[in-house]
Amino acid sequence: MQNPIIAALDVPTAEQALALAQQIAPAVGAFKIGKELFVAAGPDIVRRVRDTGASVFLDLKFHDIPNTVAKAVASAVRLNVQMLTIHTSGGSEMMRAAEQSAQQTASQTGRNTPLVLGVTVLTSHDANTLAEIGCEPNVGKQVERLAQLAVHSGLRGLVCSPLEIASLRQILPPDIQLVTPGIRTGAEKSDDQKRTLTPREAMQAGASWLVIGRPIYAAENPRAAAEKILESL
Ligand code: C5P
């Protein structure tokens, strides 16, 4: 089995990100670069992490007109990332444009096509937030609806909360990759993640990849924390 741990490099500077990446690289399968680090350090941080030989998940959650998203995806492919995110609420045309751009740019540049992951309903949203913006207020139903739309639009993976993995596995084709944040080992102080599973529970429920931030980077010894999580699987 490949190492399914994606460590979130949720730190504000390139120097901190590279030091963390170097420390934990042997114990994780990939690194996630999100908005905080990308806006501060720019595409150069993606190149520098890729230069260490590690895989990168670029989590910028694109949501725009299809042409703009397709071009942003093409730029991400040229940065040679292995995974990236878009919002499924951008609709089927936007998702198809993103997937097509990933495949075309990869073949034009001789790279592997990155996994374009669809984000369904943000875990910060509840029935009130969905009703407020005119959506189906049942969060579970809205997640399933967007997940099916994503698969019909050609996406090969989704980001979902750990508590959605089991129900999505029942309705999606088995080759769809599910990437889940909200992982807690029980050892860390409580924080803003409310609906969590342990790494082992999430894998047993059917996750393909685990996005883990604070339980690794905020641990006293991040390398040891990552190794312990890997052993627990
Ligand atoms: O520190 P923690 O393990 O909570 O980090 C989880 C990572 O996954 C963060 O980078 C966070 O932005 C991201 N994420 C999340 N919940 C989502 C989507 C992404 O926690 N629904």
PDB file of all heavy atoms in Angstrom, residues 6 8-10 32-35 57 59 61 119 121-124 159-162 180-184 191-193 211-218, ligand 1:
ATOM      1  N   ILE A   6      -1.439  12.688   3.627  1.00  0.00           N
ATOM      2  CA  ILE A   6      -1.089  13.958   2.980  1.00  0.00           C
ATOM      3  C   ILE A   6      -0.940  14.970   4.111  1.00  0.00           C
ATOM      4  O   ILE A   6      -1.919  15.304   4.782  1.00  0.00           O
ATOM      5  CB  ILE A   6      -2.188  14.433   2.015  1.00  0.00           C
ATOM      6  CG1 ILE A   6      -2.447  13.376   0.926  1.00  0.00           C
ATOM      7  CG2 ILE A   6      -1.798  15.776   1.391  1.00  0.00           C
ATOM      8  CD1 ILE A   6      -3.611  13.726   0.003  1.00  0.00           C
ATOM      9  N   ALA A   8      -0.641  18.528   5.623  1.00  0.00           N
ATOM     10  CA  ALA A   8      -0.927  19.907   5.233  1.00  0.00           C
ATOM     11  C   ALA A   8       0.210  20.807   5.713  1.00  0.00           C
ATOM     12  O   ALA A   8       0.550  20.818   6.895  1.00  0.00           O
ATOM     13  CB  ALA A   8      -2.255  20.356   5.850  1.00  0.00           C
ATOM     14  N   LEU A   9       0.804  21.553   4.762  1.00  0.00           N
ATOM     15  CA  LEU A   9       1.865  22.508   5.122  1.00  0.00           C
ATOM     16  C   LEU A   9       1.177  23.849   5.422  1.00  0.00           C
ATOM     17  O   LEU A   9       1.315  24.817   4.680  1.00  0.00           O
ATOM     18  CB  LEU A   9       2.875  22.649   3.981  1.00  0.00           C
ATOM     19  CG  LEU A   9       3.639  21.367   3.595  1.00  0.00           C
ATOM     20  CD1 LEU A   9       4.575  21.645   2.409  1.00  0.00           C
ATOM     21  CD2 LEU A   9       4.442  20.815   4.776  1.00  0.00           C
ATOM     22  N   ASP A  10       0.381  23.863   6.506  1.00  0.00           N
ATOM     23  CA  ASP A  10      -0.370  25.079   6.846  1.00  0.00           C
ATOM     24  C   ASP A  10       0.485  26.001   7.713  1.00  0.00           C
ATOM     25  O   ASP A  10       0.224  26.197   8.895  1.00  0.00           O
ATOM     26  CB  ASP A  10      -1.679  24.699   7.569  1.00  0.00           C
ATOM     27  CG  ASP A  10      -2.682  24.035   6.644  1.00  0.00           C
ATOM     28  OD1 ASP A  10      -2.573  24.222   5.410  1.00  0.00           O
ATOM     29  OD2 ASP A  10      -3.577  23.331   7.140  1.00  0.00           O
ATOM     30  N   LYS A  32       0.275  18.918   1.241  1.00  0.00           N
ATOM     31  CA  LYS A  32      -0.789  19.799   0.736  1.00  0.00           C
ATOM     32  C   LYS A  32      -0.370  21.257   0.908  1.00  0.00           C
ATOM     33  O   LYS A  32       0.008  21.674   2.007  1.00  0.00           O
ATOM     34  CB  LYS A  32      -2.099  19.559   1.500  1.00  0.00           C
ATOM     35  CG  LYS A  32      -3.255  20.400   0.956  1.00  0.00           C
ATOM     36  CD  LYS A  32      -4.591  19.987   1.570  1.00  0.00           C
ATOM     37  CE  LYS A  32      -4.917  20.704   2.848  1.00  0.00           C
ATOM     38  NZ  LYS A  32      -5.469  22.055   2.684  1.00  0.00           N
ATOM     39  N   ILE A  33      -0.449  22.005  -0.174  1.00  0.00           N
ATOM     40  CA  ILE A  33      -0.179  23.448  -0.135  1.00  0.00           C
ATOM     41  C   ILE A  33      -1.512  24.148  -0.346  1.00  0.00           C
ATOM     42  O   ILE A  33      -2.170  23.974  -1.374  1.00  0.00           O
ATOM     43  CB  ILE A  33       0.853  23.836  -1.220  1.00  0.00           C
ATOM     44  CG1 ILE A  33       2.213  23.190  -0.887  1.00  0.00           C
ATOM     45  CG2 ILE A  33       0.974  25.370  -1.321  1.00  0.00           C
ATOM     46  CD1 ILE A  33       3.296  23.422  -1.911  1.00  0.00           C
ATOM     47  N   GLY A  34      -1.926  24.929   0.644  1.00  0.00           N
ATOM     48  CA  GLY A  34      -3.219  25.594   0.588  1.00  0.00           C
ATOM     49  C   GLY A  34      -3.073  27.090   0.387  1.00  0.00           C
ATOM     50  O   GLY A  34      -1.996  27.605   0.059  1.00  0.00           O
ATOM     51  N   LYS A  35      -4.176  27.796   0.587  1.00  0.00           N
ATOM     52  CA  LYS A  35      -4.200  29.226   0.260  1.00  0.00           C
ATOM     53  C   LYS A  35      -3.233  30.058   1.093  1.00  0.00           C
ATOM     54  O   LYS A  35      -2.593  30.974   0.586  1.00  0.00           O
ATOM     55  CB  LYS A  35      -5.623  29.767   0.424  1.00  0.00           C
ATOM     56  CG  LYS A  35      -6.582  29.258  -0.647  1.00  0.00           C
ATOM     57  CD  LYS A  35      -7.929  29.950  -0.526  1.00  0.00           C
ATOM     58  CE  LYS A  35      -8.866  29.626  -1.659  1.00  0.00           C
ATOM     59  NZ  LYS A  35      -9.952  28.724  -1.294  1.00  0.00           N
ATOM     60  N   PHE A  57      -0.199  18.270  -3.394  1.00  0.00           N
ATOM     61  CA  PHE A  57      -1.643  18.477  -3.548  1.00  0.00           C
ATOM     62  C   PHE A  57      -1.856  19.984  -3.419  1.00  0.00           C
ATOM     63  O   PHE A  57      -1.658  20.562  -2.347  1.00  0.00           O
ATOM     64  CB  PHE A  57      -2.355  17.702  -2.435  1.00  0.00           C
ATOM     65  CG  PHE A  57      -3.827  17.985  -2.237  1.00  0.00           C
ATOM     66  CD1 PHE A  57      -4.585  18.733  -3.135  1.00  0.00           C
ATOM     67  CD2 PHE A  57      -4.470  17.474  -1.121  1.00  0.00           C
ATOM     68  CE1 PHE A  57      -5.937  18.970  -2.927  1.00  0.00           C
ATOM     69  CE2 PHE A  57      -5.826  17.703  -0.900  1.00  0.00           C
ATOM     70  CZ  PHE A  57      -6.556  18.458  -1.791  1.00  0.00           C
ATOM     71  N   ASP A  59      -4.186  22.844  -3.032  1.00  0.00           N
ATOM     72  CA  ASP A  59      -5.571  22.994  -2.570  1.00  0.00           C
ATOM     73  C   ASP A  59      -6.007  24.457  -2.634  1.00  0.00           C
ATOM     74  O   ASP A  59      -6.044  25.156  -1.631  1.00  0.00           O
ATOM     75  CB  ASP A  59      -5.671  22.453  -1.132  1.00  0.00           C
ATOM     76  CG  ASP A  59      -7.089  22.455  -0.606  1.00  0.00           C
ATOM     77  OD1 ASP A  59      -8.033  22.500  -1.412  1.00  0.00           O
ATOM     78  OD2 ASP A  59      -7.248  22.402   0.627  1.00  0.00           O
ATOM     79  N   LYS A  61      -8.921  25.291  -4.420  1.00  0.00           N
ATOM     80  CA  LYS A  61     -10.385  25.246  -4.583  1.00  0.00           C
ATOM     81  C   LYS A  61     -10.890  26.243  -5.643  1.00  0.00           C
ATOM     82  O   LYS A  61     -11.641  27.168  -5.346  1.00  0.00           O
ATOM     83  CB  LYS A  61     -11.088  25.506  -3.241  1.00  0.00           C
ATOM     84  CG  LYS A  61     -10.772  24.464  -2.168  1.00  0.00           C
ATOM     85  CD  LYS A  61     -11.609  24.656  -0.919  1.00  0.00           C
ATOM     86  CE  LYS A  61     -11.337  23.600   0.126  1.00  0.00           C
ATOM     87  NZ  LYS A  61      -9.993  23.695   0.758  1.00  0.00           N
ATOM     88  N   VAL A 119     -14.593  19.503  -4.520  1.00  0.00           N
ATOM     89  CA  VAL A 119     -15.039  19.812  -3.157  1.00  0.00           C
ATOM     90  C   VAL A 119     -16.560  19.940  -3.217  1.00  0.00           C
ATOM     91  O   VAL A 119     -17.086  20.658  -4.075  1.00  0.00           O
ATOM     92  CB  VAL A 119     -14.415  21.146  -2.672  1.00  0.00           C
ATOM     93  CG1 VAL A 119     -14.989  21.567  -1.322  1.00  0.00           C
ATOM     94  CG2 VAL A 119     -12.904  21.031  -2.617  1.00  0.00           C
ATOM     95  N   VAL A 121     -19.738  20.091  -0.285  1.00  0.00           N
ATOM     96  CA  VAL A 121     -20.222  21.121   0.635  1.00  0.00           C
ATOM     97  C   VAL A 121     -19.140  21.359   1.688  1.00  0.00           C
ATOM     98  O   VAL A 121     -18.686  20.403   2.329  1.00  0.00           O
ATOM     99  CB  VAL A 121     -21.532  20.655   1.331  1.00  0.00           C
ATOM    100  CG1 VAL A 121     -22.001  21.692   2.341  1.00  0.00           C
ATOM    101  CG2 VAL A 121     -22.612  20.374   0.287  1.00  0.00           C
ATOM    102  N   LEU A 122     -18.720  22.593   1.844  1.00  0.00           N
ATOM    103  CA  LEU A 122     -17.693  22.895   2.844  1.00  0.00           C
ATOM    104  C   LEU A 122     -18.186  22.433   4.216  1.00  0.00           C
ATOM    105  O   LEU A 122     -19.372  22.573   4.536  1.00  0.00           O
ATOM    106  CB  LEU A 122     -17.415  24.398   2.892  1.00  0.00           C
ATOM    107  CG  LEU A 122     -16.758  25.005   1.651  1.00  0.00           C
ATOM    108  CD1 LEU A 122     -16.701  26.524   1.779  1.00  0.00           C
ATOM    109  CD2 LEU A 122     -15.366  24.444   1.436  1.00  0.00           C
ATOM    110  N   THR A 123     -17.282  21.895   5.020  1.00  0.00           N
ATOM    111  CA  THR A 123     -17.714  21.382   6.333  1.00  0.00           C
ATOM    112  C   THR A 123     -18.112  22.516   7.277  1.00  0.00           C
ATOM    113  O   THR A 123     -18.707  22.273   8.314  1.00  0.00           O
ATOM    114  CB  THR A 123     -16.617  20.517   6.981  1.00  0.00           C
ATOM    115  OG1 THR A 123     -15.385  21.202   6.861  1.00  0.00           O
ATOM    116  CG2 THR A 123     -16.521  19.176   6.299  1.00  0.00           C
ATOM    117  N   SER A 124     -17.806  23.743   6.912  1.00  0.00           N
ATOM    118  CA  SER A 124     -18.234  24.883   7.731  1.00  0.00           C
ATOM    119  C   SER A 124     -19.693  25.251   7.437  1.00  0.00           C
ATOM    120  O   SER A 124     -20.279  26.095   8.116  1.00  0.00           O
ATOM    121  CB  SER A 124     -17.323  26.079   7.462  1.00  0.00           C
ATOM    122  OG  SER A 124     -17.270  26.339   6.077  1.00  0.00           O
ATOM    123  N   VAL A 159     -13.154  15.499  -2.429  1.00  0.00           N
ATOM    124  CA  VAL A 159     -12.773  15.749  -1.045  1.00  0.00           C
ATOM    125  C   VAL A 159     -14.050  15.604  -0.232  1.00  0.00           C
ATOM    126  O   VAL A 159     -15.091  16.135  -0.625  1.00  0.00           O
ATOM    127  CB  VAL A 159     -12.225  17.184  -0.863  1.00  0.00           C
ATOM    128  CG1 VAL A 159     -11.876  17.442   0.602  1.00  0.00           C
ATOM    129  CG2 VAL A 159     -11.009  17.405  -1.744  1.00  0.00           C
ATOM    130  N   CYS A 160     -14.010  14.876   0.860  1.00  0.00           N
ATOM    131  CA  CYS A 160     -15.221  14.765   1.681  1.00  0.00           C
ATOM    132  C   CYS A 160     -14.868  14.673   3.153  1.00  0.00           C
ATOM    133  O   CYS A 160     -13.738  14.370   3.515  1.00  0.00           O
ATOM    134  CB  CYS A 160     -16.072  13.577   1.249  1.00  0.00           C
ATOM    135  SG  CYS A 160     -15.321  11.986   1.565  1.00  0.00           S
ATOM    136  N   SER A 161     -15.865  14.966   3.992  1.00  0.00           N
ATOM    137  CA  SER A 161     -15.657  14.854   5.437  1.00  0.00           C
ATOM    138  C   SER A 161     -15.601  13.371   5.792  1.00  0.00           C
ATOM    139  O   SER A 161     -16.190  12.535   5.101  1.00  0.00           O
ATOM    140  CB  SER A 161     -16.811  15.552   6.175  1.00  0.00           C
ATOM    141  OG  SER A 161     -17.530  14.641   6.964  1.00  0.00           O
ATOM    142  N   PRO A 162     -14.902  13.027   6.879  1.00  0.00           N
ATOM    143  CA  PRO A 162     -14.781  11.600   7.215  1.00  0.00           C
ATOM    144  C   PRO A 162     -16.132  10.925   7.429  1.00  0.00           C
ATOM    145  O   PRO A 162     -16.286   9.742   7.132  1.00  0.00           O
ATOM    146  CB  PRO A 162     -13.961  11.590   8.504  1.00  0.00           C
ATOM    147  CG  PRO A 162     -13.769  12.993   8.914  1.00  0.00           C
ATOM    148  CD  PRO A 162     -14.121  13.884   7.775  1.00  0.00           C
ATOM    149  N   THR A 180      -9.893  12.790   2.526  1.00  0.00           N
ATOM    150  CA  THR A 180     -10.620  13.356   3.655  1.00  0.00           C
ATOM    151  C   THR A 180      -9.755  14.088   4.680  1.00  0.00           C
ATOM    152  O   THR A 180      -8.759  13.559   5.150  1.00  0.00           O
ATOM    153  CB  THR A 180     -11.463  12.262   4.371  1.00  0.00           C
ATOM    154  OG1 THR A 180     -12.194  12.867   5.426  1.00  0.00           O
ATOM    155  CG2 THR A 180     -10.622  11.162   4.959  1.00  0.00           C
ATOM    156  N   PRO A 181     -10.151  15.337   5.002  1.00  0.00           N
ATOM    157  CA  PRO A 181      -9.549  16.033   6.146  1.00  0.00           C
ATOM    158  C   PRO A 181     -10.383  15.684   7.392  1.00  0.00           C
ATOM    159  O   PRO A 181     -11.189  14.761   7.354  1.00  0.00           O
ATOM    160  CB  PRO A 181      -9.705  17.503   5.772  1.00  0.00           C
ATOM    161  CG  PRO A 181     -10.925  17.550   4.916  1.00  0.00           C
ATOM    162  CD  PRO A 181     -11.087  16.193   4.265  1.00  0.00           C
ATOM    163  N   GLY A 182     -10.186  16.398   8.488  1.00  0.00           N
ATOM    164  CA  GLY A 182     -10.972  16.132   9.694  1.00  0.00           C
ATOM    165  C   GLY A 182     -10.510  14.871  10.399  1.00  0.00           C
ATOM    166  O   GLY A 182     -11.297  14.141  10.982  1.00  0.00           O
ATOM    167  N   ILE A 183      -9.218  14.597  10.332  1.00  0.00           N
ATOM    168  CA  ILE A 183      -8.658  13.404  10.964  1.00  0.00           C
ATOM    169  C   ILE A 183      -8.055  13.784  12.318  1.00  0.00           C
ATOM    170  O   ILE A 183      -7.286  14.734  12.411  1.00  0.00           O
ATOM    171  CB  ILE A 183      -7.547  12.798  10.056  1.00  0.00           C
ATOM    172  CG1 ILE A 183      -8.130  12.407   8.694  1.00  0.00           C
ATOM    173  CG2 ILE A 183      -6.869  11.621  10.742  1.00  0.00           C
ATOM    174  CD1 ILE A 183      -9.211  11.359   8.740  1.00  0.00           C
ATOM    175  N   ARG A 184      -8.423  13.067  13.357  1.00  0.00           N
ATOM    176  CA  ARG A 184      -7.871  13.305  14.691  1.00  0.00           C
ATOM    177  C   ARG A 184      -7.523  11.986  15.356  1.00  0.00           C
ATOM    178  O   ARG A 184      -8.278  11.027  15.252  1.00  0.00           O
ATOM    179  CB  ARG A 184      -8.884  14.070  15.572  1.00  0.00           C
ATOM    180  CG  ARG A 184      -9.076  15.529  15.141  1.00  0.00           C
ATOM    181  CD  ARG A 184      -7.784  16.317  15.299  1.00  0.00           C
ATOM    182  NE  ARG A 184      -7.894  17.705  14.865  1.00  0.00           N
ATOM    183  CZ  ARG A 184      -7.574  18.146  13.648  1.00  0.00           C
ATOM    184  NH1 ARG A 184      -7.148  17.310  12.719  1.00  0.00           N
ATOM    185  NH2 ARG A 184      -7.668  19.422  13.359  1.00  0.00           N
ATOM    186  N   ASP A 191      -9.797  21.320  18.801  1.00  0.00           N
ATOM    187  CA  ASP A 191      -9.708  22.532  17.992  1.00  0.00           C
ATOM    188  C   ASP A 191     -10.997  22.659  17.195  1.00  0.00           C
ATOM    189  O   ASP A 191     -12.019  22.127  17.604  1.00  0.00           O
ATOM    190  CB  ASP A 191      -8.446  22.498  17.112  1.00  0.00           C
ATOM    191  CG  ASP A 191      -8.324  21.178  16.356  1.00  0.00           C
ATOM    192  OD1 ASP A 191      -9.359  20.710  15.846  1.00  0.00           O
ATOM    193  OD2 ASP A 191      -7.220  20.626  16.278  1.00  0.00           O
ATOM    194  N   ASP A 192     -10.955  23.321  16.044  1.00  0.00           N
ATOM    195  CA  ASP A 192     -12.203  23.597  15.329  1.00  0.00           C
ATOM    196  C   ASP A 192     -12.746  22.427  14.506  1.00  0.00           C
ATOM    197  O   ASP A 192     -13.807  22.548  13.911  1.00  0.00           O
ATOM    198  CB  ASP A 192     -12.030  24.841  14.445  1.00  0.00           C
ATOM    199  CG  ASP A 192     -10.920  24.667  13.413  1.00  0.00           C
ATOM    200  OD1 ASP A 192     -10.251  23.614  13.422  1.00  0.00           O
ATOM    201  OD2 ASP A 192     -10.731  25.583  12.612  1.00  0.00           O
ATOM    202  N   GLN A 193     -12.068  21.301  14.454  1.00  0.00           N
ATOM    203  CA  GLN A 193     -12.610  20.147  13.725  1.00  0.00           C
ATOM    204  C   GLN A 193     -13.588  19.427  14.641  1.00  0.00           C
ATOM    205  O   GLN A 193     -13.214  18.928  15.695  1.00  0.00           O
ATOM    206  CB  GLN A 193     -11.486  19.176  13.300  1.00  0.00           C
ATOM    207  CG  GLN A 193     -10.528  19.738  12.269  1.00  0.00           C
ATOM    208  CD  GLN A 193     -11.086  19.761  10.859  1.00  0.00           C
ATOM    209  OE1 GLN A 193     -12.293  19.652  10.638  1.00  0.00           O
ATOM    210  NE2 GLN A 193     -10.214  19.958   9.883  1.00  0.00           N
ATOM    211  N   VAL A 211      -5.958  13.805   4.762  1.00  0.00           N
ATOM    212  CA  VAL A 211      -5.280  15.103   4.882  1.00  0.00           C
ATOM    213  C   VAL A 211      -5.131  15.411   6.372  1.00  0.00           C
ATOM    214  O   VAL A 211      -6.123  15.502   7.091  1.00  0.00           O
ATOM    215  CB  VAL A 211      -6.090  16.224   4.203  1.00  0.00           C
ATOM    216  CG1 VAL A 211      -5.453  17.585   4.491  1.00  0.00           C
ATOM    217  CG2 VAL A 211      -6.162  15.993   2.697  1.00  0.00           C
ATOM    218  N   ILE A 212      -3.896  15.545   6.809  1.00  0.00           N
ATOM    219  CA  ILE A 212      -3.660  15.743   8.239  1.00  0.00           C
ATOM    220  C   ILE A 212      -2.798  16.982   8.449  1.00  0.00           C
ATOM    221  O   ILE A 212      -1.696  17.081   7.915  1.00  0.00           O
ATOM    222  CB  ILE A 212      -2.989  14.493   8.862  1.00  0.00           C
ATOM    223  CG1 ILE A 212      -3.817  13.240   8.499  1.00  0.00           C
ATOM    224  CG2 ILE A 212      -2.868  14.654  10.376  1.00  0.00           C
ATOM    225  CD1 ILE A 212      -3.286  11.950   9.069  1.00  0.00           C
ATOM    226  N   GLY A 213      -3.347  17.936   9.201  1.00  0.00           N
ATOM    227  CA  GLY A 213      -2.633  19.181   9.462  1.00  0.00           C
ATOM    228  C   GLY A 213      -2.081  19.213  10.874  1.00  0.00           C
ATOM    229  O   GLY A 213      -1.001  18.684  11.154  1.00  0.00           O
ATOM    230  N   ARG A 214      -2.847  19.838  11.760  1.00  0.00           N
ATOM    231  CA  ARG A 214      -2.349  20.054  13.127  1.00  0.00           C
ATOM    232  C   ARG A 214      -1.860  18.818  13.871  1.00  0.00           C
ATOM    233  O   ARG A 214      -0.866  18.918  14.600  1.00  0.00           O
ATOM    234  CB  ARG A 214      -3.399  20.825  13.941  1.00  0.00           C
ATOM    235  CG  ARG A 214      -3.463  22.291  13.504  1.00  0.00           C
ATOM    236  CD  ARG A 214      -4.750  22.963  13.906  1.00  0.00           C
ATOM    237  NE  ARG A 214      -5.860  22.494  13.078  1.00  0.00           N
ATOM    238  CZ  ARG A 214      -7.111  22.965  13.190  1.00  0.00           C
ATOM    239  NH1 ARG A 214      -7.381  23.891  14.095  1.00  0.00           N
ATOM    240  NH2 ARG A 214      -8.050  22.512  12.397  1.00  0.00           N
ATOM    241  N   PRO A 215      -2.517  17.643  13.733  1.00  0.00           N
ATOM    242  CA  PRO A 215      -1.984  16.484  14.469  1.00  0.00           C
ATOM    243  C   PRO A 215      -0.531  16.172  14.111  1.00  0.00           C
ATOM    244  O   PRO A 215       0.170  15.508  14.874  1.00  0.00           O
ATOM    245  CB  PRO A 215      -2.919  15.346  14.044  1.00  0.00           C
ATOM    246  CG  PRO A 215      -4.211  16.029  13.730  1.00  0.00           C
ATOM    247  CD  PRO A 215      -3.790  17.340  13.074  1.00  0.00           C
ATOM    248  N   ILE A 216      -0.057  16.664  12.959  1.00  0.00           N
ATOM    249  CA  ILE A 216       1.357  16.475  12.616  1.00  0.00           C
ATOM    250  C   ILE A 216       2.141  17.764  12.865  1.00  0.00           C
ATOM    251  O   ILE A 216       3.061  17.794  13.676  1.00  0.00           O
ATOM    252  CB  ILE A 216       1.527  15.988  11.154  1.00  0.00           C
ATOM    253  CG1 ILE A 216       0.940  14.572  11.008  1.00  0.00           C
ATOM    254  CG2 ILE A 216       3.009  16.011  10.760  1.00  0.00           C
ATOM    255  CD1 ILE A 216       0.987  14.008   9.594  1.00  0.00           C
ATOM    256  N   TYR A 217       1.764  18.877  12.179  1.00  0.00           N
ATOM    257  CA  TYR A 217       2.665  20.047  12.261  1.00  0.00           C
ATOM    258  C   TYR A 217       2.673  20.719  13.620  1.00  0.00           C
ATOM    259  O   TYR A 217       3.646  21.368  13.994  1.00  0.00           O
ATOM    260  CB  TYR A 217       2.417  21.053  11.134  1.00  0.00           C
ATOM    261  CG  TYR A 217       1.164  21.899  11.224  1.00  0.00           C
ATOM    262  CD1 TYR A 217       1.064  22.963  12.128  1.00  0.00           C
ATOM    263  CD2 TYR A 217       0.088  21.668  10.374  1.00  0.00           C
ATOM    264  CE1 TYR A 217      -0.080  23.732  12.192  1.00  0.00           C
ATOM    265  CE2 TYR A 217      -1.061  22.434  10.429  1.00  0.00           C
ATOM    266  CZ  TYR A 217      -1.139  23.466  11.358  1.00  0.00           C
ATOM    267  OH  TYR A 217      -2.271  24.226  11.419  1.00  0.00           O
ATOM    268  N   ALA A 218       1.571  20.556  14.407  1.00  0.00           N
ATOM    269  CA  ALA A 218       1.552  21.196  15.730  1.00  0.00           C
ATOM    270  C   ALA A 218       2.016  20.249  16.832  1.00  0.00           C
ATOM    271  O   ALA A 218       2.012  20.612  18.005  1.00  0.00           O
ATOM    272  CB  ALA A 218       0.144  21.720  16.033  1.00  0.00           C
TER     273      ALA A 218
HETATM  274  O1  C5P B   1      -5.164  20.895  11.004  1.00  0.00           O
HETATM  275  P1  C5P B   1      -6.155  20.007  10.348  1.00  0.00           P
HETATM  276  O2  C5P B   1      -5.818  18.526  10.399  1.00  0.00           O
HETATM  277  O3  C5P B   1      -7.565  20.297  10.779  1.00  0.00           O
HETATM  278  O4  C5P B   1      -6.016  20.412   8.823  1.00  0.00           O
HETATM  279  C1  C5P B   1      -6.884  19.942   7.841  1.00  0.00           C
HETATM  280  C2  C5P B   1      -6.556  20.564   6.526  1.00  0.00           C
HETATM  281  O5  C5P B   1      -7.605  20.226   5.624  1.00  0.00           O
HETATM  282  C3  C5P B   1      -6.493  22.098   6.528  1.00  0.00           C
HETATM  283  O6  C5P B   1      -5.544  22.466   5.539  1.00  0.00           O
HETATM  284  C4  C5P B   1      -7.880  22.520   6.146  1.00  0.00           C
HETATM  285  O7  C5P B   1      -7.910  23.738   5.456  1.00  0.00           O
HETATM  286  C5  C5P B   1      -8.285  21.389   5.209  1.00  0.00           C
HETATM  287  N1  C5P B   1      -9.719  21.160   5.122  1.00  0.00           N
HETATM  288  C6  C5P B   1     -10.543  20.916   6.220  1.00  0.00           C
HETATM  289  N2  C5P B   1     -11.875  20.708   6.064  1.00  0.00           N
HETATM  290  C7  C5P B   1     -12.394  20.735   4.859  1.00  0.00           C
HETATM  291  C8  C5P B   1     -11.593  20.977   3.756  1.00  0.00           C
HETATM  292  C9  C5P B   1     -10.252  21.196   3.909  1.00  0.00           C
HETATM  293  O8  C5P B   1     -10.069  20.856   7.326  1.00  0.00           O
HETATM  294  N3  C5P B   1     -13.673  20.500   4.723  1.00  0.00           N
END
